[in-house]
Amino acid sequence: MKLLLILALYSTAHAVEAPRIVAIPPADAGRGLIRVNAGEIRHYPGKGGKQFLQSLDNGETWNAVDLPASYPDATCLNKESPAFTRNPHTSEYFRVEPLYRKKPGEAMHVSEGGLDGQWRPIQDESGAPILLSGLMRSPVWVNHNKRLIIPAHRGGCFTWYSDDHGQTWEKSENTAKAPAHKIGGVHKGTRWNHGMVGSTIIELKNKKLWMLARTAQDQNYQSFSTDYGVTWSKAEPSRFWGTITLSTLFRMKDDRILLLWCNTTPLPEVDRGKKRGGEDVFTNRDTIHAAISEDEGETWVGFREIILDEHRNNSDYAVAQGTGDRGKHQSEVIQLDVNRVLLTCGQQKIHRKMMIMDVRWLYEKERSSNLAKDGTKDWSTHQYIDKIAGHCGYNRKPGAKVEGEALRVLRLDDTSLVNPNQGAVWNFPSGNTGSLTAKIRLEPGGAGVQIALTDRWFNPTDDTVDQFANYVLKIDENGKTPDGKHFLTPGKIHKLTLTWKDVDENGEAMLLLDGELTTIKLPCKQPCPNGISYVHFYNPATRTDMNGFSIFSTAVKMQ
């Protein structure tokens, strides 16, 4: 109660603001973050780490503090921290590594005397350390804190569960699995088929456990348990897009559910011959999203980019300061006050971030962008160099650039690129009913423009977006609209407004041109339970187009 009062009083003194960076985590996001008490938060390092990060002002500022001699070194990778949870019955802490390889020194640990006290390895009756199998995420207390659950995966997702505070463990009776990705449609090769992995679990008010997990499909898959993790239902696609990226479910103190995940779709797979089906290139980790639900996950608002990767345009993206995994996927979260959370996101030291987010920001109804004033800080425009580099990466080129007052979108004469056609992608708060207004100019000699409204992030250079978008407007090189009755004059700035209604019920979209309603009706091409949250501009040229089109501004309003 004291902590809740402190959090409530603190919240009233802060206005809503966009998410902001406050620190760099000492290890990849996903593990290691723990609130010690109302006055202290910590983030622990991985293997070989000598210091943890400490905040004594509710996450605003951070200092490095030496680990006490009693703290056992992690046995995981140096880029991964152990996960911590506080035992609500004893106020001591339970520590689990992400993976046990049955090497010397590995063990689960329980604190004796708090985080800076002694740590006791959990052992079986013979004195051997208890080592659980599978890659594991952070433990979760369920069923009124009677049971401790650890999400794990190997050949699918399962759970370890303990009813004696982690002293002994049982494995769930079955494993939830997603189907393998297959060649077909836009895909000339298969994605890295790693099954269903990296689950996040939350307890719902109906006493079910909800598991959401990473897959090689276009969506996260979900499974449910009615016996607190002993058995799991057959896995099924969830409403959340995301491919080979982790998600995090978090129950706030007022019972709202927060989700952090990559609402993104990678480029179509290419035929890589003998490497088909192995890890190849991750092209959808340049942003991470947040959404929030007030009705146990039935409806959601937000679907907003928390941050765009600062390195997304860089020529050395795949190899800068190392060659491992990188990007903004993976996350962990704790609550700061009634409406604010502290979250971590990102893999690799120059991509990791610790941020404060006010969840009221997710409820906003409007957003705008002035390209002359703001540049592309809120846009994805990068292009990929067609050569795998580092670990499953492409190096980049900046793509469409602001010239004068507008963003110019071209098709380059550049054979080094995966796709020489440029695009531009912009996010806004999601809505089932709303309008997008864009000021654009077709440049004389340009190839026209394709404008797609979508419910997720696609790569700027994805030439298949029109097959998956919810609404698509195509204007040819002469400025002619699909009905053949309206024209945009090349060289003239026009204001296009796309309005849609009830996209969750496959409602149509209408076009206003320079404030006048046209007869153009755009059908909803795909079911859309999450609302529209993106616009994707694309140059459809089939040959070099150094004229293209220009984007001056965008603005969105939702009902």
Side-chain angles (χ1 to χ4, degrees), residues 337-409:
D337 51 54
V338 172
N339 285 302
R340 299 188 315 140
V341 298
L342 176 74
L343 64 95
T344 59
C345 65
Q347 286 185 289
Q348 211 254 4
K349 56 187 176 182
I350 65 173
H351 296 264
R352 302 172 192 148
K353 294 292 180 285
M354 193 180 299
M355 305 180 70
I356 290 177
M357 180 177 70
D358 190 324
V359 299
R360 290 173 293 184
W361 174 77
L362 299 175
Y363 292 87
E364 291 181 351
K365 299 287 188 180
E366 300 181 9
R367 196 186 191 199
S368 62
S369 176
N370 183 319
L371 275 303
K373 177 183 177 181
D374 303 326
T376 57
K377 67 181 182 65
D378 296 326
W379 292 72
S380 297
T381 62
H382 56 273
Q383 294 178 277
Y384 297 105
I385 298 172
D386 192 12
K387 182 180 180 180
I388 297 178
H391 174 66
C392 306
Y394 282 138
N395 287 320
R396 318 286 185 82
K397 290 188 177 181
K401 300 176 183 178
V402 173
E403 297 179 3
E405 297 182 346
L407 179 67
R408 182 72 72 89
V409 185

Side-chain angles (χ1 to χ4, degrees), residues 17 120 129 131 133 139 175 181 213 253 289 315 371 378 390 405-406 457 486 489-490 518 538 540 543 553 555:
E17 61 180 352
R120 173 177 58 84
L131 302 177
S133 64
T175 298
H181 183 262
K253 296 184 184 301
H289 298 78
S315 61
L371 275 303
D378 296 326
E405 297 182 346
W457 182 95
H486 300 84
T489 303
T518 71
Y538 184 73
R543 57 182 181 272
S553 65

